[in-house]
Amino acid sequence: YKFIFEDLQTHGIKHTEEQFLNDFGYTLYDRFIVNTVPLSSGTIGQVYEAYDEYSNKVIIKVKHPGIERKTEIQINIVLWLIDCYLRVFKKVPYIVRALDVDGFVNSFKNQLSFINEAKSLEKYRTNFENVKGIHFPNPIQYTENIIIMEYVKGKSYHELSFMEQCH
């Protein structure tokens, strides 16, 4: 699993600059002061810390070049592994049926769109606006390939202790 989805290399700032100009029609540096060393790099893209023209800290997330093709390969590997599992363990296909394979594939493909991510963030912000201690970043500007959102300091769900997760 780890070799398929984690420990990914970063793409160069040149790709980010070109994608930004292509998607927004202005350069990355026209409206932002950007730390060109990525904060992180994941399966779909990488994340930069920046400051906008009003000195607000923002996050800029940029899709990796060629990620659609790479993702198709990753999905095919997972589907192949499931097929192998079914061939070896013919008497327990109910376990795999319990897994929503189609749902997994569709969910994974939906993650390739930062428009979908922005719409999800907007939905979560509305659904949790009155819940103390939960805050989702506001998407400021987005395209299929780039999302700019407010910086939110806090903990991810995975960093919370068990007791914090239960309350």
Side-chain angles (χ1 to χ4, degrees), residues 73-148:
I73 292 168
Q74 292 168 338
I75 289 170
N76 287 333
I77 290 170
V78 170
L79 293 176
W80 178 80
L81 290 171
I82 291 171
D83 185 59
C84 289
Y85 177 84
L86 285 174
R87 289 173 194 263
V88 172
F89 300 102
K90 291 177 184 174
K91 296 185 181 196
V92 288
Y94 62 88
I95 292 173
V96 173
R97 280 193 208 118
L99 300 172
D100 181 6
V101 175
D102 290 335
F104 165 77
V105 169
N106 290 333
S107 173
F108 201 76
K109 287 182 177 179
N110 281 336
Q111 290 179 38
L112 291 175
S113 170
F114 286 159
I115 292 172
N116 289 342
E117 181 172 338
K119 289 180 179 179
S120 293
L121 284 170
E122 290 167 346
K123 182 175 161 183
Y124 299 150
R125 285 175 60 79
T126 299
N127 290 344
F128 289 91
E129 67 186 344
N130 296 319
V131 179
K132 184 180 177 187
I134 297 178
H135 182 81
F136 291 90
N138 182 32
I140 299 165
Q141 191 174 8
Y142 51 89
T143 68
E144 194 69 28
N145 304 303
I146 299 173
I147 183 169
I148 303 165

Coordinates of all heavy atoms in Angstrom, one line a residue, residues 73-148:
I73 N -3.3 3.9 -12.9 CA -2.4 2.8 -12.7 C -2.6 2.3 -11.2 O -2.7 1.1 -11.0 CB -0.9 3.1 -13.0 CG1 -0.7 3.4 -14.5 CG2 0.0 2.1 -12.4 CD1 0.6 4.0 -14.8
Q74 N -2.6 3.2 -10.3 CA -2.8 2.8 -8.9 C -4.1 2.0 -8.7 O -4.2 1.0 -8.0 CB -2.8 4.0 -8.0 CG -1.4 4.7 -7.9 CD -1.5 6.1 -7.3 OE1 -2.5 6.7 -7.2 NE2 -0.4 6.5 -6.8
I75 N -5.2 2.5 -9.3 CA -6.5 1.9 -9.2 C -6.5 0.5 -9.8 O -7.0 -0.5 -9.2 CB -7.6 2.8 -9.8 CG1 -7.9 4.0 -8.9 CG2 -8.9 2.0 -10.0 CD1 -8.8 5.0 -9.5
N76 N -5.8 0.4 -10.9 CA -5.7 -0.9 -11.6 C -4.9 -1.9 -10.7 O -5.3 -3.1 -10.7 CB -5.1 -0.8 -13.0 CG -6.1 -0.2 -13.9 OD1 -7.3 -0.3 -13.8 ND2 -5.6 0.5 -15.0
I77 N -3.9 -1.5 -10.0 CA -3.1 -2.3 -9.1 C -4.0 -2.8 -8.0 O -4.1 -4.0 -7.7 CB -1.9 -1.6 -8.6 CG1 -0.9 -1.4 -9.7 CG2 -1.3 -2.4 -7.4 CD1 0.3 -0.5 -9.3
V78 N -4.8 -1.9 -7.4 CA -5.7 -2.3 -6.3 C -6.7 -3.3 -6.8 O -7.0 -4.3 -6.1 CB -6.4 -1.1 -5.6 CG1 -7.4 -1.5 -4.7 CG2 -5.3 -0.2 -4.9
L79 N -7.3 -3.0 -8.0 CA -8.3 -3.9 -8.5 C -7.7 -5.3 -8.8 O -8.4 -6.3 -8.6 CB -9.0 -3.3 -9.7 CG -9.8 -2.1 -9.5 CD1 -10.3 -1.5 -10.8 CD2 -11.0 -2.4 -8.5
W80 N -6.5 -5.3 -9.3 CA -5.8 -6.6 -9.6 C -5.6 -7.4 -8.3 O -5.8 -8.6 -8.3 CB -4.5 -6.3 -10.3 CG -3.7 -7.5 -10.6 CD1 -3.9 -8.4 -11.6 CD2 -2.6 -8.0 -9.8 NE1 -3.0 -9.4 -11.6 CE2 -2.1 -9.2 -10.5 CE3 -1.9 -7.6 -8.7 CZ2 -1.1 -10.0 -10.0 CZ3 -0.9 -8.3 -8.2 CH2 -0.5 -9.5 -8.8
L81 N -5.2 -6.7 -7.2 CA -5.0 -7.3 -6.0 C -6.2 -7.9 -5.4 O -6.2 -9.0 -4.9 CB -4.4 -6.3 -4.9 CG -2.9 -5.9 -5.2 CD1 -2.5 -4.8 -4.3 CD2 -2.0 -7.1 -5.0
I82 N -7.3 -7.2 -5.6 CA -8.6 -7.7 -5.1 C -9.0 -9.0 -6.0 O -9.5 -10.0 -5.4 CB -9.7 -6.7 -5.2 CG1 -9.5 -5.6 -4.2 CG2 -11.1 -7.3 -5.1 CD1 -10.4 -4.4 -4.3
D83 N -8.8 -8.9 -7.3 CA -9.0 -10.1 -8.1 C -8.2 -11.3 -7.7 O -8.7 -12.4 -7.6 CB -8.8 -9.7 -9.6 CG -9.2 -10.8 -10.5 OD1 -10.3 -11.2 -10.5 OD2 -8.3 -11.3 -11.3
C84 N -6.9 -11.0 -7.4 CA -6.0 -12.1 -7.0 C -6.6 -12.7 -5.7 O -6.6 -13.9 -5.5 CB -4.6 -11.6 -6.8 SG -3.8 -11.3 -8.3
Y85 N -7.0 -11.9 -4.8 CA -7.5 -12.3 -3.5 C -8.7 -13.2 -3.7 O -8.9 -14.3 -3.1 CB -7.9 -11.1 -2.6 CG -8.5 -11.5 -1.3 CD1 -7.7 -11.8 -0.2 CD2 -9.9 -11.5 -1.1 CE1 -8.3 -12.1 1.0 CE2 -10.5 -11.9 0.1 CZ -9.7 -12.2 1.1 OH -10.2 -12.5 2.3
L86 N -9.6 -12.8 -4.6 CA -10.8 -13.6 -4.9 C -10.5 -14.9 -5.5 O -11.2 -15.9 -5.2 CB -11.8 -12.8 -5.8 CG -12.5 -11.7 -5.1 CD1 -13.3 -10.9 -6.2 CD2 -13.5 -12.2 -4.1
R87 N -9.5 -15.0 -6.3 CA -9.1 -16.2 -6.9 C -8.5 -17.2 -5.9 O -8.7 -18.4 -6.0 CB -8.1 -16.0 -8.1 CG -8.7 -15.3 -9.3 CD -7.6 -15.0 -10.3 NE -8.1 -14.1 -11.3 CZ -8.5 -14.4 -12.5 NH1 -8.5 -15.7 -12.8 NH2 -9.0 -13.5 -13.3
V88 N -7.7 -16.7 -5.0 CA -7.1 -17.5 -3.9 C -8.1 -18.0 -2.9 O -8.2 -19.1 -2.5 CB -5.9 -16.8 -3.3 CG1 -5.4 -17.6 -2.1 CG2 -4.8 -16.6 -4.3
F89 N -9.0 -17.0 -2.5 CA -9.9 -17.3 -1.4 C -11.3 -17.3 -2.0 O -12.2 -16.5 -1.6 CB -9.8 -16.3 -0.3 CG -8.5 -16.2 0.4 CD1 -7.5 -15.2 0.0 CD2 -8.1 -17.2 1.3 CE1 -6.3 -15.2 0.6 CE2 -6.8 -17.2 1.9 CZ -5.9 -16.2 1.5
K90 N -11.6 -18.3 -2.8 CA -12.9 -18.4 -3.5 C -14.1 -18.5 -2.6 O -15.2 -18.1 -2.9 CB -12.9 -19.6 -4.5 CG -12.0 -19.4 -5.6 CD -11.9 -20.6 -6.5 CE -10.9 -20.4 -7.6 NZ -10.7 -21.5 -8.4
K91 N -13.9 -19.0 -1.4 CA -15.0 -19.3 -0.5 C -15.4 -18.1 0.4 O -16.3 -18.2 1.1 CB -14.8 -20.5 0.4 CG -14.7 -21.8 -0.5 CD -14.5 -23.0 0.4 CE -14.4 -24.2 -0.6 NZ -14.6 -25.4 0.0
V92 N -14.6 -17.0 0.3 CA -14.9 -15.9 1.1 C -15.1 -14.6 0.3 O -14.6 -13.5 0.8 CB -13.8 -15.7 2.2 CG1 -13.9 -16.7 3.3 CG2 -12.5 -15.6 1.6
P93 N -15.8 -14.6 -0.8 CA -16.0 -13.4 -1.6 C -16.9 -12.4 -0.8 O -16.8 -11.2 -1.2 CB -16.6 -13.9 -2.9 CG -17.3 -15.1 -2.5 CD -16.4 -15.8 -1.4
Y94 N -17.6 -12.8 0.2 CA -18.5 -11.9 0.9 C -17.6 -10.8 1.6 O -18.1 -9.7 1.8 CB -19.3 -12.6 1.9 CG -18.6 -13.4 3.0 CD1 -18.2 -12.7 4.1 CD2 -18.2 -14.7 2.8 CE1 -17.4 -13.4 5.1 CE2 -17.5 -15.4 3.8 CZ -17.1 -14.7 4.9 OH -16.4 -15.4 5.9
I95 N -16.4 -11.1 1.9 CA -15.5 -10.1 2.5 C -15.2 -9.0 1.5 O -15.3 -7.8 1.9 CB -14.2 -10.7 3.0 CG1 -14.4 -11.7 4.2 CG2 -13.2 -9.7 3.4 CD1 -13.2 -12.5 4.6
V96 N -14.9 -9.4 0.3 CA -14.7 -8.3 -0.7 C -16.0 -7.6 -1.1 O -16.0 -6.4 -1.3 CB -14.0 -8.9 -1.9 CG1 -13.9 -7.9 -3.0 CG2 -12.6 -9.5 -1.5
R97 N -17.1 -8.4 -1.1 CA -18.4 -7.7 -1.4 C -18.7 -6.7 -0.3 O -19.4 -5.7 -0.6 CB -19.5 -8.7 -1.4 CG -19.5 -9.5 -2.8 CD -20.8 -10.2 -2.9 NE -20.5 -11.3 -3.8 CZ -20.7 -12.6 -3.5 NH1 -21.1 -13.0 -2.3 NH2 -20.4 -13.6 -4.3
A98 N -18.2 -6.9 0.9 CA -18.5 -6.0 2.0 C -17.7 -4.7 1.7 O -18.1 -3.6 2.2 CB -18.1 -6.5 3.3
L99 N -16.6 -4.8 1.0 CA -15.9 -3.6 0.6 C -16.6 -3.0 -0.6 O -17.0 -3.7 -1.5 CB -14.5 -4.0 0.2 CG -13.6 -4.6 1.2 CD1 -12.3 -5.1 0.5 CD2 -13.3 -3.7 2.3
D100 N -16.8 -1.7 -0.6 CA -17.5 -1.0 -1.7 C -16.4 -0.7 -2.7 O -15.9 0.5 -2.7 CB -18.2 0.2 -1.2 CG -19.0 0.9 -2.3 OD1 -19.0 0.4 -3.4 OD2 -19.5 2.0 -2.0
V101 N -16.0 -1.6 -3.5 CA -14.9 -1.4 -4.5 C -15.3 -0.2 -5.4 O -14.5 0.6 -5.7 CB -14.6 -2.7 -5.2 CG1 -13.5 -2.4 -6.3 CG2 -14.1 -3.8 -4.3
D102 N -16.5 -0.3 -6.0 CA -16.9 0.8 -6.9 C -16.9 2.1 -6.2 O -16.5 3.2 -6.8 CB -18.3 0.5 -7.5 CG -18.2 -0.6 -8.5 OD1 -17.2 -0.9 -9.1 OD2 -19.3 -1.3 -8.7
G103 N -17.4 2.1 -5.0 CA -17.4 3.4 -4.2 C -15.9 3.9 -3.9 O -15.7 5.1 -4.0
F104 N -15.0 3.0 -3.7 CA -13.6 3.3 -3.5 C -13.0 4.0 -4.7 O -12.4 5.0 -4.7 CB -12.8 2.1 -3.1 CG -11.3 2.3 -3.2 CD1 -10.6 3.0 -2.2 CD2 -10.6 1.8 -4.3 CE1 -9.2 3.2 -2.4 CE2 -9.3 1.9 -4.4 CZ -8.6 2.6 -3.4
V105 N -13.3 3.3 -5.9 CA -12.7 3.8 -7.1 C -13.3 5.2 -7.4 O -12.6 6.1 -7.8 CB -13.0 2.8 -8.3 CG1 -12.7 3.4 -9.6 CG2 -12.2 1.6 -8.1
N106 N -14.7 5.3 -7.3 CA -15.3 6.6 -7.6 C -14.8 7.7 -6.6 O -14.6 8.9 -7.0 CB -16.8 6.5 -7.5 CG -17.4 5.7 -8.7 OD1 -16.8 5.7 -9.7 ND2 -18.5 5.1 -8.5
S107 N -14.7 7.4 -5.3 CA -14.2 8.3 -4.4 C -12.8 8.8 -4.7 O -12.5 10.0 -4.6 CB -14.3 7.7 -3.0 OG -13.6 8.6 -2.0
F108 N -12.0 7.8 -5.1 CA -10.6 8.1 -5.4 C -10.5 9.1 -6.6 O -9.8 10.0 -6.6 CB -9.8 6.8 -5.6 CG -8.3 7.0 -5.5 CD1 -7.8 7.1 -4.2 CD2 -7.5 7.1 -6.6 CE1 -6.4 7.2 -4.0 CE2 -6.1 7.2 -6.4 CZ -5.6 7.3 -5.2
K109 N -11.3 8.8 -7.6 CA -11.3 9.6 -8.8 C -11.9 11.0 -8.5 O -11.4 12.0 -9.1 CB -12.1 8.9 -9.9 CG -11.4 7.7 -10.6 CD -12.2 7.1 -11.7 CE -11.4 6.0 -12.3 NZ -12.2 5.3 -13.4
N110 N -12.8 11.1 -7.7 CA -13.4 12.4 -7.3 C -12.3 13.3 -6.6 O -12.4 14.5 -6.7 CB -14.6 12.2 -6.4 CG -15.9 11.9 -7.2 OD1 -15.9 12.2 -8.4 ND2 -16.8 11.3 -6.5
Q111 N -11.4 12.7 -5.9 CA -10.4 13.4 -5.2 C -9.4 14.1 -6.2 O -8.6 15.0 -5.8 CB -9.6 12.5 -4.3 CG -10.3 12.0 -3.1 CD -9.5 11.1 -2.2 OE1 -8.3 11.3 -2.0 NE2 -10.2 10.1 -1.7
L112 N -9.4 13.7 -7.5 CA -8.6 14.3 -8.5 C -9.1 15.7 -8.8 O -8.3 16.5 -9.5 CB -8.5 13.5 -9.7 CG -7.8 12.1 -9.6 CD1 -8.0 11.3 -10.9 CD2 -6.3 12.4 -9.3
S113 N -10.3 16.1 -8.5 CA -10.8 17.4 -8.8 C -10.8 18.3 -7.6 O -11.4 18.1 -6.6 CB -12.3 17.2 -9.3 OG -12.9 18.5 -9.4
F114 N -10.0 19.4 -7.7 CA -10.0 20.4 -6.6 C -11.3 21.2 -6.6 O -11.6 21.8 -5.6 CB -8.8 21.2 -6.7 CG -7.5 20.5 -6.2 CD1 -6.3 21.0 -6.6 CD2 -7.5 19.4 -5.5 CE1 -5.1 20.3 -6.2 CE2 -6.4 18.7 -5.1 CZ -5.2 19.2 -5.5
I115 N -12.1 21.1 -7.6 CA -13.4 21.7 -7.6 C -14.3 20.9 -6.6 O -15.0 21.5 -5.8 CB -14.0 21.8 -9.0 CG1 -13.2 22.8 -9.9 CG2 -15.5 22.2 -9.0 CD1 -13.6 22.8 -11.3
N116 N -14.2 19.6 -6.7 CA -14.9 18.8 -5.8 C -14.5 19.0 -4.4 O -15.3 19.1 -3.4 CB -14.8 17.3 -6.1 CG -15.5 16.9 -7.4 OD1 -16.4 17.6 -7.9 ND2 -15.1 15.8 -8.0
E117 N -13.2 19.2 -4.1 CA -12.7 19.4 -2.8 C -13.2 20.7 -2.3 O -13.6 20.8 -1.1 CB -11.2 19.4 -2.8 CG -10.6 19.6 -1.4 CD -9.1 19.4 -1.3 OE1 -8.5 18.7 -2.2 OE2 -8.5 20.0 -0.3
A118 N -13.2 21.8 -3.1 CA -13.7 23.1 -2.7 C -15.2 23.0 -2.3 O -15.6 23.6 -1.3 CB -13.4 24.1 -3.7
K119 N -16.0 22.3 -3.1 CA -17.4 22.2 -2.8 C -17.6 21.4 -1.6 O -18.5 21.7 -0.8 CB -18.1 21.6 -4.0 CG -18.2 22.5 -5.2 CD -18.9 21.9 -6.4 CE -19.0 22.9 -7.5 NZ -19.6 22.4 -8.7
S120 N -16.8 20.4 -1.3 CA -16.9 19.6 -0.1 C -16.6 20.5 1.1 O -17.3 20.4 2.1 CB -16.0 18.4 -0.1 OG -16.5 17.5 -1.1
L121 N -15.5 21.3 1.0 CA -15.2 22.2 2.1 C -16.3 23.2 2.4 O -16.6 23.4 3.6 CB -13.9 22.9 1.8 CG -12.6 22.2 1.9 CD1 -11.4 23.0 1.3 CD2 -12.3 21.8 3.3
E122 N -16.9 23.7 1.4 CA -18.0 24.6 1.6 C -19.2 24.0 2.3 O -19.8 24.5 3.2 CB -18.5 25.2 0.2 CG -17.4 26.2 -0.3 CD -17.6 26.6 -1.8 OE1 -18.4 25.9 -2.5 OE2 -17.0 27.5 -2.3
K123 N -19.5 22.7 1.9 CA -20.5 21.9 2.5 C -20.2 21.7 4.0 O -21.1 21.8 4.8 CB -20.7 20.6 1.7 CG -21.8 19.8 2.2 CD -21.9 18.6 1.2 CE -22.7 17.4 1.8 NZ -22.7 16.3 0.9
Y124 N -19.0 21.2 4.2 CA -18.6 20.9 5.6 C -18.6 22.2 6.5 O -19.1 22.2 7.6 CB -17.2 20.3 5.7 CG -17.0 19.0 5.0 CD1 -15.8 18.7 4.4 CD2 -18.1 18.1 4.8 CE1 -15.6 17.5 3.7 CE2 -17.9 16.9 4.2 CZ -16.7 16.6 3.6 OH -16.5 15.5 2.9
R125 N -18.2 23.3 5.9 CA -18.3 24.6 6.7 C -19.7 24.9 7.1 O -19.9 25.3 8.2 CB -17.7 25.7 5.8 CG -16.2 25.7 5.7 CD -15.6 26.8 4.8 NE -16.0 28.1 5.2 CZ -15.4 28.8 6.2 NH1 -14.3 28.3 6.8 NH2 -15.7 30.0 6.5
T126 N -20.6 24.7 6.2 CA -22.0 25.0 6.5 C -22.6 24.0 7.5 O -23.2 24.4 8.5 CB -22.9 24.9 5.2 OG1 -22.4 25.8 4.3 CG2 -24.4 25.1 5.5
N127 N -22.3 22.7 7.3 CA -22.8 21.7 8.2 C -22.2 21.8 9.6 O -22.9 21.4 10.6 CB -22.5 20.3 7.7 CG -23.3 20.0 6.4 OD1 -24.3 20.6 6.1 ND2 -22.9 18.9 5.7
F128 N -21.0 22.3 9.8 CA -20.4 22.3 11.1 C -20.2 23.8 11.6 O -19.4 24.0 12.6 CB -19.0 21.6 11.0 CG -19.1 20.1 10.9 CD1 -19.1 19.6 9.6 CD2 -19.2 19.3 12.0 CE1 -19.2 18.2 9.5 CE2 -19.3 18.0 11.9 CZ -19.3 17.4 10.6
E129 N -20.9 24.7 11.0 CA -20.6 26.1 11.4 C -21.0 26.4 12.9 O -20.4 27.3 13.5 CB -21.4 27.1 10.5 CG -22.9 27.0 10.6 CD -23.6 27.9 9.5 OE1 -22.9 28.8 8.9 OE2 -24.8 27.7 9.3
N130 N -21.9 25.6 13.5 CA -22.3 25.8 14.9 C -21.6 24.8 15.8 O -22.0 24.8 17.0 CB -23.8 25.8 15.0 CG -24.4 27.0 14.2 OD1 -23.9 28.1 14.2 ND2 -25.5 26.7 13.5
V131 N -20.7 24.1 15.4 CA -20.0 23.1 16.2 C -18.7 23.7 16.7 O -17.8 23.9 15.9 CB -19.8 21.8 15.5 CG1 -19.1 20.8 16.3 CG2 -21.1 21.2 14.9
K132 N -18.6 23.8 18.0 CA -17.4 24.4 18.6 C -16.2 23.5 18.4 O -16.3 22.3 18.6 CB -17.7 24.7 20.1 CG -16.5 25.3 20.8 CD -16.8 25.5 22.3 CE -15.6 26.2 23.0 NZ -15.8 26.3 24.4
G133 N -15.1 24.1 18.0 CA -13.9 23.4 17.9 C -13.6 22.7 16.6 O -12.6 22.1 16.4
I134 N -14.6 22.8 15.7 CA -14.4 22.2 14.3 C -14.5 23.4 13.3 O -15.4 24.1 13.3 CB -15.4 21.2 14.0 CG1 -15.3 20.0 15.0 CG2 -15.3 20.7 12.6 CD1 -16.3 18.9 14.8
H135 N -13.4 23.5 12.5 CA -13.4 24.5 11.5 C -12.7 24.0 10.2 O -11.6 23.4 10.3 CB -12.6 25.7 12.0 CG -12.5 26.9 11.1 ND1 -13.6 27.8 10.9 CD2 -11.6 27.2 10.2 CE1 -13.3 28.6 10.0 NE2 -12.1 28.3 9.5
F136 N -13.4 24.1 9.1 CA -12.9 23.7 7.8 C -12.4 25.0 7.1 O -13.0 26.0 7.2 CB -13.9 23.0 7.0 CG -14.3 21.6 7.6 CD1 -15.3 21.5 8.5 CD2 -13.5 20.5 7.2 CE1 -15.6 20.2 9.0 CE2 -13.8 19.3 7.7 CZ -14.9 19.1 8.6
P137 N -11.3 24.9 6.4 CA -10.8 26.1 5.7 C -11.7 26.5 4.6 O -12.4 25.7 4.0 CB -9.5 25.6 5.1 CG -9.4 24.1 5.2 CD -10.4 23.7 6.2
N138 N -11.8 27.8 4.4 CA -12.6 28.5 3.4 C -11.8 28.4 2.1 O -10.7 29.0 2.0 CB -12.9 29.9 3.8 CG -13.8 30.6 2.8 OD1 -14.6 30.0 2.2 ND2 -13.6 31.9 2.6
P139 N -12.4 27.8 1.0 CA -11.8 27.8 -0.3 C -11.9 29.2 -0.9 O -13.0 29.7 -1.0 CB -12.5 26.8 -1.1 CG -13.8 26.5 -0.4 CD -13.6 27.0 1.0
I140 N -10.8 29.8 -1.2 CA -10.8 31.2 -1.7 C -11.0 31.3 -3.2 O -11.8 32.0 -3.7 CB -9.6 31.9 -1.2 CG1 -9.5 32.0 0.3 CG2 -9.5 33.4 -1.8 CD1 -8.1 32.3 0.9
Q141 N -10.2 30.4 -3.9 CA -10.2 30.4 -5.3 C -9.8 29.0 -5.7 O -8.9 28.4 -5.1 CB -9.3 31.4 -5.9 CG -9.4 31.7 -7.4 CD -8.5 32.8 -7.9 OE1 -7.7 33.4 -7.1 NE2 -8.7 33.2 -9.1
Y142 N -10.4 28.5 -6.8 CA -10.1 27.1 -7.2 C -10.4 26.8 -8.6 O -11.2 27.5 -9.3 CB -10.8 26.1 -6.3 CG -12.3 26.3 -6.2 CD1 -13.2 25.7 -7.1 CD2 -12.8 27.1 -5.1 CE1 -14.5 25.9 -7.0 CE2 -14.2 27.2 -5.0 CZ -15.0 26.6 -5.9 OH -16.4 26.8 -5.8
T143 N -9.6 25.8 -9.1 CA -9.8 25.3 -10.5 C -9.8 23.8 -10.3 O -9.6 23.3 -9.2 CB -8.8 25.7 -11.5 OG1 -7.5 25.2 -11.1 CG2 -8.7 27.3 -11.5
E144 N -9.8 23.1 -11.4 CA -9.7 21.6 -11.4 C -8.3 21.2 -10.8 O -8.2 20.2 -10.2 CB -9.8 21.1 -12.8 CG -10.0 19.6 -12.9 CD -11.4 19.1 -12.4 OE1 -12.4 19.9 -12.4 OE2 -11.4 18.0 -12.0
N145 N -7.3 22.1 -11.0 CA -5.9 21.7 -10.7 C -5.3 22.4 -9.5 O -4.2 22.0 -9.0 CB -5.0 22.0 -11.9 CG -5.5 21.3 -13.2 OD1 -5.6 20.1 -13.2 ND2 -5.8 22.1 -14.2
I146 N -5.9 23.5 -9.0 CA -5.4 24.3 -7.9 C -6.5 24.7 -7.0 O -7.6 25.0 -7.4 CB -4.7 25.5 -8.5 CG1 -3.5 25.2 -9.4 CG2 -4.2 26.4 -7.3 CD1 -2.9 26.4 -10.1
I147 N -6.2 24.7 -5.7 CA -7.1 25.2 -4.7 C -6.3 26.1 -3.8 O -5.3 25.7 -3.3 CB -7.9 24.1 -4.0 CG1 -8.9 24.8 -3.0 CG2 -7.0 23.2 -3.2 CD1 -9.9 23.8 -2.4
I148 N -6.8 27.3 -3.6 CA -6.3 28.3 -2.6 C -7.3 28.4 -1.5 O -8.5 28.6 -1.7 CB -6.0 29.7 -3.3 CG1 -5.2 29.5 -4.5 CG2 -5.5 30.6 -2.3 CD1 -5.2 30.8 -5.4

